[in-house]
Amino acid sequence: MLTVAVALFALSTLITWAYYGQEAWTYLFGKSRGSERLYQLIFCLFIVAGSVLPLGSVLSFADAVLFLLALFNIIGVYLLAPVVKQELRSSRDKIDPGEVRKNENANS
């Protein structure tokens, strides 16, 4: 039973990462049939490589890629912090004069 659950979780993770990865790819490189096929080919090659390489190598590679993703997210947070601060100030300014009502259910 546990083996089936783990296999289904792995399969659903592959499908999810493939979908969201392709969405990000098409956002960056344009939505064309050739671009999508290139992403799918690269994704499938990485699946094959991940299944034949030793587990330690796959985990090290996955850790390195996730570290790079986190690094870019942190850079984005710092770059967008002034924009978030401005939007937060704008939202609070609208709440004070009553232009936007406070949500009483949010505090409960």
Side-chain angles (χ1 to χ4, degrees):
M1 185 68 126
L2 182 60
T3 304
V4 171
V6 169
L8 289 174
F9 176 73
L11 183 63
S12 68
T13 302
L14 279 174
I15 293 169
T16 303
W17 281 45
Y19 172 75
Y20 286 115
Q22 184 169 334
E23 289 297 310
W25 178 276
T26 56
Y27 178 79
L28 291 173
F29 300 109
K31 189 172 180 88
S32 69
R33 189 169 182 87
S35 176
E36 289 179 354
R37 291 291 180 217
L38 178 62
Y39 171 79
Q40 292 167 355
L41 177 69
I42 293 169
F43 189 82
C44 288
L45 289 174
F46 273 102
I47 289 175
V48 171
S51 65
V52 297
L53 291 173
L55 180 61
S57 298
V58 173
L59 291 177
S60 295
F61 180 75
D63 287 343
V65 170
L66 290 174
F67 170 75
L68 284 174
L69 290 171
L71 187 65
F72 285 115
N73 278 327
I74 290 170
I75 291 169
V77 165
Y78 280 117
L79 292 175
L80 292 174
V83 175
V84 171
K85 186 176 180 181
Q86 178 184 4
E87 291 296 323
L88 181 62
R89 185 176 294 125
S90 173
S91 294
R92 286 185 177 165
D93 290 344
K94 289 178 183 177
I95 289 174
D96 289 338
E99 186 176 335
V100 176
R101 285 190 2 223
K102 288 185 180 181
N103 186 359
E104 288 85 23
N105 295 331
N107 294 331
S108 57

